[in-house]
Amino acid sequence: TFHSNKAAVYFTSKRYDECIASCREAVEVGKANRAPFEERAKALTRCAKAYQKKGDLEMAIECCREAQLESFDKATERMMKNMELEKKKMDAAAYLDDGLAEEAKQRGNEHFRNKEWADAVKEYEEAVKRAPNNAPIRNNLAAALCKIMDFNGAKTHIDKAIEIDPKYVKAWARKGDIEVICKENHKALESYKKGLELDPTNAACKDGLRKVTAMINYGASTMTEEEKMDRARKGMADPEIQSILQDPVIQQILKDFNENPQAANQAMMNPAVRAKIEKLIASGVVQTA
């Protein structure tokens, strides 16, 4: 108790090194005299707090772990989790370096040119760690991930690239390409169009839009009924498609196509309505003759 009280005074006085020494002494004396586990844990927890004040999170976390071995405490557990999260953020921030990111990117580019896909992914991932807010690097990583068939990973990084820079046309083109591979033609159609809104001359988006439009318009005619149903199921799994189908206005228009074509054609003159119907057709949920 004497050493623990000294440690408490040192902590309050911001004399953290002396606090740590007193906490350690309190634990050793406590062990020698078979003091309650809870008391030894409290000393170690105060030691952790002192290390945290000094900015040494590694030692702070270690003291928390020691305290939990002496006597488990929910408050100490929460404090340790927060410290671990803080340390993770600090480590990531310390790792940032635009120059080293560019070097890793160039190594990745070299591997990509040589069709060494796994090595390209490794270098691009290193570049992302060094510069997580660099959209072109994430775009390159998405391309490399596609080569090793990791389409979910590619989607994640290309979406992040667009979040970082919504005006990055190459990312919109890449997003469309990935969506075509994943048979999400309705999404690809939108991605290419968004890219062309930013740059009407972009060749990748123009070519992608032409191809996906052809797939939508003519692909259905060559599909078996089973393939059409599979395509429609995938479309129905999209929350955006579900939302469109729940729109009462869209429901009425779909009904009008069969019962009142003139009213349906009139409604299609509204650009917003037309875009939604086209998305339903592109997804395969609505099929045309």
Side-chain angles (χ1 to χ4, degrees):
T1 302
F2 170 71
H3 294 293
S4 291
N5 289 344
K6 276 176 61 179
V9 172
Y10 287 140
F11 187 86
T12 304
S13 304
K14 298 183 180 180
R15 294 160 66 180
Y16 300 123
D17 287 328
E18 290 161 288
C19 173
I20 291 167
S22 291
C23 286
R24 291 294 187 187
E25 195 168 357
V27 172
E28 291 306 314
V29 172
K31 286 181 178 178
N33 291 279
R34 297 185 179 180
F37 293 111
E38 293 82 1
E39 293 301 319
R40 283 143 54 178
K42 285 180 182 178
L44 285 165
T45 300
R46 180 174 285 116
C47 190
K49 291 178 180 178
Y51 273 119
Q52 184 182 31
K53 290 292 186 181
K54 283 168 57 68
D56 190 342
L57 289 175
E58 187 171 350
M59 284 303 300
I61 292 167
E62 182 58 34
C63 285
C64 285
R65 288 174 180 155
E66 289 181 41
Q68 294 297 73
L69 289 174
E70 293 287 348
S71 178
F72 183 84
D73 180 78
K74 288 184 178 179
T76 301
E77 184 72 10
R78 285 195 300 271
M79 183 173 72
M80 182 173 68
K81 294 297 182 185
N82 288 334
M83 287 179 180
E84 288 173 340
L85 182 60
E86 185 182 353
K87 185 177 184 298
K88 185 177 179 180
K89 289 179 179 178
M90 289 177 63
D91 289 347
Y95 202 70
L96 301 182
D97 189 310
D98 289 340
L100 292 177
E102 182 59 27
E103 290 178 14
K105 176 188 173 185
Q106 293 304 324
R107 291 194 298 271
N109 290 346
E110 183 65 24
H111 286 306
F112 196 92
R113 284 191 290 270
N114 294 333
K115 298 183 180 181
E116 298 161 350
W117 313 127
D119 289 332
V121 168
K122 182 179 178 181
E123 292 297 347
Y124 288 141
E125 286 179 336
E126 171 67 12
V128 166
K129 291 177 184 177
R130 294 287 188 182
N133 293 320
N134 186 305
I137 290 175
R138 287 188 182 270
N139 181 55
N140 288 8
L141 176 54
L145 287 169
C146 284
K147 294 296 185 181
I148 62 171
M149 311 296 281
D150 183 1
F151 302 120
N152 286 332
K155 277 185 180 181
T156 297
H157 284 287
I158 207 62
D159 285 343
K160 185 63 179 179
I162 290 171
E163 180 186 324
I164 293 166
D165 185 1
K167 294 183 179 181
Y168 186 38
V169 179
K170 285 186 177 180
W172 284 110
R174 181 82 62 201
K175 180 175 170 64
D177 292 345
I178 294 168
E179 288 161 344
V180 168
I181 293 171
C182 296
K183 298 182 179 179
E184 297 174 330
N185 291 343
H186 61 295
K187 292 184 178 180
L189 191 72
E190 185 175 354
S191 295
Y192 292 133
K193 285 181 177 179
K194 285 186 177 179
L196 290 171
E197 285 174 10
L198 296 168
D199 179 7
T201 65
N202 184 269
C205 286
K206 288 171 71 175
D207 189 51
L209 182 60
R210 179 182 58 78
K211 288 180 179 178
V212 79
T213 300
M215 290 170 67
I216 293 167
N217 292 339
Y218 306 112
S221 62
T222 62
M223 287 182 180
T224 64
E225 287 302 315
E226 186 178 348
E227 288 172 333
K228 289 179 182 179
M229 289 178 65
D230 182 57
R231 180 185 172 206
R233 276 195 296 269
K234 287 181 178 179
M236 283 295 296
D238 185 344
E240 186 179 4
I241 296 298
Q242 294 172 15
S243 177
I244 293 172
L245 288 171
Q246 289 169 6
D247 185 337
V249 174
I250 299 299
Q251 290 175 0
Q252 183 60 50
I253 294 169
L254 292 175
K255 186 178 179 182
D256 286 342
F257 275 122
N258 291 322
E259 301 177 2
N260 190 351
Q262 186 175 354
N265 289 332
Q266 183 68 28
M268 287 290 283
M269 293 177 69
N270 182 314
V273 168
R274 186 177 186 85
K276 289 182 179 181
I277 296 297
E278 286 178 347
K279 189 166 290 187
L280 293 178
I281 294 171
S283 69
V285 172
V286 171
Q287 296 182 19
T288 58

